[in-house]
């Protein structure tokens, strides 16, 4: 096969192209998931900020009305601590999901690299067998 110019066999080129397409699709999926995660985290931060503003208003109202602020503030703080704990758990959950997506992306990059190396090895073997 003189004059083949060292080109890879069509089936190897097809496998490599398919692996590249799969990697591109996975990267697009990862970006979409990251976008969703970023939006969810941003939404959670907005909710937390709104809760803080609401808490401050409630506390100011209680102080202005000379109500027994100690009891109310303790109740409000307990409620806020519960909400902050719930939001923190949600953020940790989202971080875990993002780490899982990144691990999958790394795995797919490794698969693509293995496919590339396999294609190189196959083409070398085929070239040797043609000599």
């Amino acid at each position: 096969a003189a004059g083949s110019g060292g080109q890879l066999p069509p089936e190897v080129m097809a496998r490599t192209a398919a692996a590249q397409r799969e990697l591109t699709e996975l990267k697009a999926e990862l970006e979409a998931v990251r976008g969703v995660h970023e939006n969810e985290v941003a939404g959670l931060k907005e909710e937390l900020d709104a809760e803080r503003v609401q808490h401050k208003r409630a506390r100011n109202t209680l102080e202005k009305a000379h109500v027994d602020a100690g009891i109310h503030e303790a109740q409000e703080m307990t409620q806020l601590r519960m909400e902050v704990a719930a939001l923190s758990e949600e953020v940790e959950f989202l971080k875990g999901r993002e780490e899982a997506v990144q691990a999958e992306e790394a795995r797919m990059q490794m698969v693509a690299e293995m496919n590339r190396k396999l294609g190189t090895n196959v083409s070398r073997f085929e070239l040797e067998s043609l000599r």
Side-chain angles (χ1 to χ4, degrees), residues 10-28:
E11 65 275 6
V12 174
M13 291 175 68
R15 279 203 326 250
T16 302
Q20 287 296 330
R21 278 194 305 276
E22 186 176 2
L23 184 59
T24 300
E25 289 169 10
L26 283 166
K27 282 182 179 178

Side-chain angles (χ1 to χ4, degrees), residues 40-41 44 85-95 97:
E40 287 176 359
V41 170
L44 291 172
L87 291 174
S88 296
E89 284 178 15
E90 179 72 11
V91 168
E92 288 306 310
F93 172 74
L94 291 174
K95 284 180 185 173
R97 277 197 359 215

Side-chain angles (χ1 to χ4, degrees), residues 39-112:
N39 288 339
E40 287 176 359
V41 170
L44 291 172
K45 286 180 181 174
E46 284 177 22
E47 287 178 30
L48 183 57
D49 288 342
E51 287 291 337
R52 287 182 176 145
V53 167
Q54 189 177 354
H55 170 70
K56 187 176 180 180
R57 282 193 195 128
R59 192 171 65 198
N60 289 342
T61 301
L62 289 173
E63 287 170 359
K64 285 177 188 163
H66 301 290
V67 175
D68 184 5
I71 294 170
H72 290 281
E73 191 169 328
Q75 291 172 341
E76 190 76 9
M77 287 301 293
T78 299
Q79 180 65 31
L80 276 176
R81 281 190 191 106
M82 288 168 38
E83 290 170 1
V84 167
L87 291 174
S88 296
E89 284 178 15
E90 179 72 11
V91 168
E92 288 306 310
F93 172 74
L94 291 174
K95 284 180 185 173
R97 277 197 359 215
E98 184 166 4
E99 287 169 8
V101 169
Q102 288 171 345
E104 179 65 11
E105 179 186 37
R107 187 184 75 77
M108 289 311 302
Q109 287 174 339
M110 188 174 65
V111 167

